């Protein structure tokens, strides 16, 4: 299956929610060391709602499109939507089958968003 | 000249459309290597160095003959200086983990000074960076690159001192393709400190250039079987006997023993002292056949073939818009390992599209050389082709076509791209 579908390329060329947020409540940068990809996710969570989300960084079409699609999917939704988002959900949103070696490209944004979400919670507990 | 050599490799017959440009990661396997390993498993399977029966004698004889083939391949003097390992990584770790017994009292007291290069593979970088953490007063230095992607020899002379313990360097860079002037570098290093221990990673060299360890005057040299057309999980460590005698085994067990009592163990002499456990017998036999294969083609044919293709590949790649090559431009000081980037096309996307559209196998990433990419080339990743004996000019033409297809898929000329 060709993974470079029109929708993925559209997100790659003109990503949604691309950039940095001013005063995020949660933030994290994730890396994929084998290919040098970096994605940072900023979140503003207010009363358990993701009022804003953005991403920035560098990477391949798959990692960038996945980040863009993820931000669209959770923006304005309850924080639980992000918390409960799974690998399978991301693959469904991407709409393509990823090989084992490209899987980490597709999942970097999800992993980073989850770390951003939990990192802040952990810090506020300590 | 463009000798057709792909018929030696069953994988090329199995999939005639495959364009394998990843020999630097692992080489394809010629038929004679497969036949020799199958012969071991089907005709004289037995353990080595212990059985008295005839198959065990045969296995031991064939297995030990590979030591001699390795000795001849690298121009070593003594066959007992060839230690079979699982590969280059294993070989280098064996030396780095034994640094305390390899170095003299004075060096130990001051903490070792270890020097590596900016173009080393992680396998010849990380073991040294790790071992230095055991010595609070130890120091670790990295030789820089010049603008032409060769080692900066001025920087080398600035870094080395009469107290430098180890100089570790690659014969050929697995990213840049640079053939280092190893002999000249070693001469410079020995002028500064005659006792310096020089470790050469020859993983990218052993199948591509003739090696002569005596002429180089290095102290250790390692290569992997799977990068010289042999099987995975094989390789050698060669060292000068005076150093190998001081290397501590990091595997203890069978095969290495002269005598064990409740009180103590006496080890066998080299090379068995450093080869505990039943070895990778079939693998070593296969590696021997890979050396036979290389010798039968001959280094003259190999270098002619690879230089011609490298020159052609460099010429063709330079014609592609927005493509940057990382490595020497002069094919005389480089091999067919060519890393590149194309503006606005991520190497992973290039590799994916070339695979899907043209059945081309090439590598994308940092090729286990992250310091080189991040701190010297200033790119997170590159695409890399590497040329082997099976490759042809047509393979390069397909690569060029594939890159244009990738550009059409990935780049939308009319839209502003935010990457």
């Amino acid at each position: 299956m060709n993974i470079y579908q029109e929708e993925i390329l559209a997100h790659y060329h003109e990503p949604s929610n691309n950039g940095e947020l001013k005063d995020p409540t949660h933030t994290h940068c994730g890396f994929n060391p084998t290919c040098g990809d970096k994605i940072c996710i900023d979140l503003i969570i207010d009363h358990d709602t993701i009022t804003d989300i953005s991403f920035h960084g560098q990477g391949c079409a798959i990692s960038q499109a996945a980040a863009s699609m993820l931000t669209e999917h959770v923006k304005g939704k309850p924080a639980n939507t992000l918390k409960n988002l799974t690998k399978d959900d991301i693959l469904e949103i991407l709409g393509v089958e990823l090989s084992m070696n490209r899987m980490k490209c597709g999942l970097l944004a999800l992993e980073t968003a989850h770390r951003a979400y939990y990192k802040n919670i952990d810090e506020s507990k300590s | 000249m463009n000798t057709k050599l792909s018929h030696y490799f069953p994988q090329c017959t199995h999939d005639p459309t495959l364009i394998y440009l990843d020999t630097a990661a692992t080489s394809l396997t010629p038929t004679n290597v497969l036949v020799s390993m199958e012969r071991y498993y089907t005709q004289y399977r037995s353990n080595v160095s212990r059985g008295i029966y005839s198959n065990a004698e045969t296995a031991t004889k064939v297995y030990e003959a590979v030591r001699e083939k390795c000795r001849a391949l690298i121009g070593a003097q003594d066959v007992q200086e060839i230690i079979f390992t699982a590969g280059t990584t294993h070989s280098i770790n064996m030396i780095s983990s034994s640094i305390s017994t390899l170095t003299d009292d004075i060096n130990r007291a001051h903490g070792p000074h270890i020097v590596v290069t900016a173009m080393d593979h992680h396998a010849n970088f990380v073991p040294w960076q790790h071992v230095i953490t055991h010595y609070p007063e130890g120091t670790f230095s990295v030789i820089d690159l010049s603008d032409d992607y060769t080692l900066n020899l001025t920087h080398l002379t600035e870094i080395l001192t009469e107290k430098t313990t180890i100089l570790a360097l690659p014969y050929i860079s697995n990213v840049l393709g640079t053939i280092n002037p190893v002999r000249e570098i070693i001469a410079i290093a020995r002028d500064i400190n005659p006792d310096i221990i020089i470790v050469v990673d020859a993983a990218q060299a052993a199948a591509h250039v003739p090696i002569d360890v005596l002429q180089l005057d290095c102290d250790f040299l390692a290569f992997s079987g799977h990068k010289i057309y042999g099987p995975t999980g094989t390789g050698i460590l060669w060292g000068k006997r005076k150093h190998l005698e001081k290397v501590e085994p990091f595997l203890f067990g069978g095969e290495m023993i002269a005598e064990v009592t409740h009180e103590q163990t006496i080890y066998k002499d080299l090379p068995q002292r450093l080869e505990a456990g039943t070895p990778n017998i079939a693998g070593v036999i296969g590696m021997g056949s890979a050396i036979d294969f290389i010798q039968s083609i001959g280094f003259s044919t190999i270098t002619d073939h690879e230089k011609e293709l490298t020159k052609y590949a460099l010429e063709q790649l330079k014609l592609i818009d927005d493509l940057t090559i990382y490595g020497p431009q002069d094919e005389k000081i480089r091999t067919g390992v060519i890393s590149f980037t194309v503006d606005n096309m991520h190497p992973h996307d290039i590799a994916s599209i070339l695979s899907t559209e043209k059945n081309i196998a090439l590598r994308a990433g940092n090729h286990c050389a992250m310091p080189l990419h991040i701190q010297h080339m200033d790119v997170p990743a590159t695409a890399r082709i590497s040329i082997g004996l099976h490759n042809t000019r047509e393979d390069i033409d397909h690569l060029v076509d594939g890159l244009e297809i990738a550009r059409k898929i990935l780049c939308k000329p009319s839209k502003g791209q935010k990457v």
Side-chain angles (χ1 to χ4, degrees):
Chain A
M1 181 185 188
N2 179 8
I3 56 174
Y4 297 94
Q5 301 290 316
E6 204 173 317
E7 199 185 351
I8 285 183
L9 289 171
H11 276 273
Y12 174 52
H13 292 135
E14 292 184 51
S16 304
N17 306 308
N18 188 226
E20 291 179 53
L21 291 183
K22 197 171 172 247
D23 301 326
T25 56
H26 302 63
T27 187
H28 186 73
C29 292
F31 299 88
N32 183 347
T34 48
C35 57
D37 283 6
K38 177 183 176 185
I39 285 179
C40 298
I41 299 231
D42 292 343
L43 289 164
I44 296 176
I45 298 180
D46 185 18
H47 292 88
D48 270 340
T49 299
I50 299 169
T51 57
D52 209 351
I53 179 169
S54 78
F55 81 98
H56 59 98
Q58 59 195 11
C60 65
I62 303 303
S63 73
Q64 297 295 295
S68 170
M69 290 160 129
L70 179 145
T71 60
E72 277 189 359
H73 184 76
V74 301
K75 192 171 177 176
K77 304 247 179 80
N80 268 347
T81 309
L82 171 60
K83 189 183 161 191
N84 297 332
L85 203 61
T86 66
K87 169 186 160 184
D88 289 343
D89 295 332
I90 291 293
L91 296 179
E92 197 181 319
I93 294 166
L94 277 168
V96 292
E97 278 177 33
L98 294 181
S99 67
M100 196 191 288
N101 289 340
R102 294 308 296 276
M103 195 63 86
K104 53 198 172 196
C105 309
L107 298 179
L108 180 61
L110 175 67
E111 194 182 298
T112 306
H114 277 162
R115 280 177 189 264
Y117 175 77
Y118 285 110
K119 192 165 77 172
N120 188 276
I121 287 172
D122 289 343
E123 280 165 5
S124 64
K125 276 181 191 163
S126 60
Chain B
M1 194 205 82
N2 194 13
T3 321
K4 183 90 175 162
L5 297 165
S6 60
H7 64 276
Y8 286 107
F9 302 93
Q11 202 166 328
C12 298
T13 316
H14 167 73
D15 181 1
T17 66
L18 173 70
I19 297 164
Y20 189 75
L21 287 168
D22 203 14
T23 293
T26 194
S27 44
L28 297 181
T29 318
T31 305
N32 74 311
V33 170
L34 300 165
V35 167
S36 70
M37 290 196 292
E38 191 184 9
R39 198 175 289 146
Y40 165 71
Y41 279 125
T42 55
Q43 297 180 14
Y44 60 97
R45 171 79 190 251
S46 50
N47 212 326
V48 290
S49 315
R50 55 193 83 182
I52 306 298
Y53 49 91
S54 74
N55 279 348
E57 301 273 7
T58 305
T60 306
K61 195 173 147 197
V62 178
Y63 175 84
E64 284 301 326
V66 180
R67 232 182 270 283
E68 168 55 26
K69 291 174 188 182
C70 293
R71 185 207 64 75
L73 183 72
I74 60 169
Q77 204 162 28
D78 181 354
V79 74
Q80 292 178 325
E81 292 172 335
I82 304 290
I83 313 297
F84 292 134
T85 67
T88 307
T89 302
H90 179 186
S91 302
I92 293 169
N93 275 272
M94 198 188 271
I95 324 166
S96 66
S97 65
S98 197
I99 194 168
S100 64
T101 56
L102 273 170
T103 53
D104 58 30
D105 293 340
I106 299 165
N107 248 316
R108 273 196 295 261
H110 288 92
H113 176 220
I114 298 179
V115 177
V116 301
T117 78
M119 62 167 79
D120 270 297
H121 185 283
H122 293 163
N124 203 25
F125 193 103
V126 179
W128 302 114
Q129 193 183 47
H130 171 75
V131 81
I132 208 75
T133 61
H134 299 305
Y135 297 89
E137 298 192 13
T139 46
F140 180 75
S141 312
V142 182
I143 301 166
D144 216 337
L145 301 184
S146 299
D147 291 342
D148 61 356
Y149 298 103
T150 59
L151 281 177
N152 184 335
L153 299 190
T154 310
H155 193 225
L156 169 85
T157 55
E158 287 164 4
I159 281 183
L160 292 179
T161 74
E162 69 278 9
K163 287 186 178 148
T164 304
T165 321
I166 302 273
L167 168 62
L169 76 162
Y171 201 126
I172 292 169
S173 161
N174 75 312
V175 175
L176 308 168
T178 311
I179 304 173
N180 288 316
V182 179
R183 196 178 165 196
E184 183 190 344
I185 290 169
I186 292 174
I188 293 169
R190 294 231 186 271
D191 268 352
I192 297 168
N193 174 14
D195 296 326
I196 188 169
I197 294 174
I198 292 157
V199 180
V200 178
D201 166 2
Q204 297 296 339
H208 304 282
V209 296
I211 295 174
D212 186 327
V213 289
L214 295 183
Q215 204 178 44
L216 292 177
D217 191 24
C218 54
D219 296 288
F220 291 102
L221 181 135
F223 68 76
S224 300
H226 78 101
K227 292 196 202 292
I228 64 161
Y229 303 102
T232 56
T234 60
I236 67 142
L237 170 66
W238 168 85
K240 288 179 179 167
R241 177 176 273 277
K242 64 175 181 179
H243 295 309
L244 284 174
E245 299 281 5
K246 293 189 197 168
V247 171
E248 281 274 284
F250 71 14
L251 291 173
F252 296 86
E255 205 90 48
M256 65 177 311
I257 303 299
E259 184 186 310
V260 183
T261 64
H262 285 198
E263 289 72 33
Q264 66 163 353
T265 295
I266 299 167
Y267 306 121
K268 278 184 186 162
D269 290 335
L270 290 171
Q272 281 80 17
R273 190 172 66 85
L274 298 173
E275 294 178 353
T278 292
N280 182 356
I281 302 168
V284 166
I285 290 169
M287 178 165 70
S289 300
I291 294 172
D292 292 341
F293 171 73
I294 289 170
Q295 302 287 26
S296 72
I297 304 283
F299 276 106
S300 162
T301 303
I302 290 171
T303 47
D304 282 354
H305 177 84
E306 293 181 357
K307 287 233 178 283
E308 199 268 341
L309 274 185
T310 303
K311 186 165 181 278
Y312 183 66
L314 289 170
E315 284 166 5
Q316 295 303 305
L317 288 173
K318 279 178 197 162
L319 297 176
I320 294 174
D321 290 340
D322 307 322
L323 186 144
T324 306
I325 292 169
Y326 299 85
Q329 302 293 316
D330 179 1
E331 74 274 3
K332 290 185 204 69
I333 57 160
R334 63 167 305 141
T335 60
V337 175
I338 305 173
S339 295
F340 61 91
T341 54
V342 187
D343 292 353
N344 299 318
M345 287 161 68
H346 192 283
H348 266 197
D349 294 322
I350 291 175
S352 273
I353 292 170
L354 289 183
S355 171
T356 316
E357 300 289 330
K358 301 286 285 181
N359 199 14
I360 294 174
L362 84 166
R363 180 93 178 256
N366 60 49
H367 324 303
C368 299
M370 215 184 264
L372 175 60
H373 277 79
I374 307 293
Q375 289 171 277
H376 297 272
M377 287 151 60
D378 202 23
V379 286
T382 51
R384 181 189 74 181
I385 63 160
S386 48
I387 288 164
L389 287 174
H390 57 281
N391 289 124
T392 61
R393 275 179 174 239
E394 289 71 40
D395 294 345
I396 305 301
D397 296 337
H398 282 296
L399 169 72
V400 170
D401 291 348
L403 288 170
E404 290 306 337
I405 293 170
R407 192 196 303 279
K408 281 193 189 105
I409 291 172
L410 290 170
C411 299
K412 287 228 168 155
S414 57
K415 308 254 179 179
Q417 214 173 319
K418 287 185 266 174
V419 181

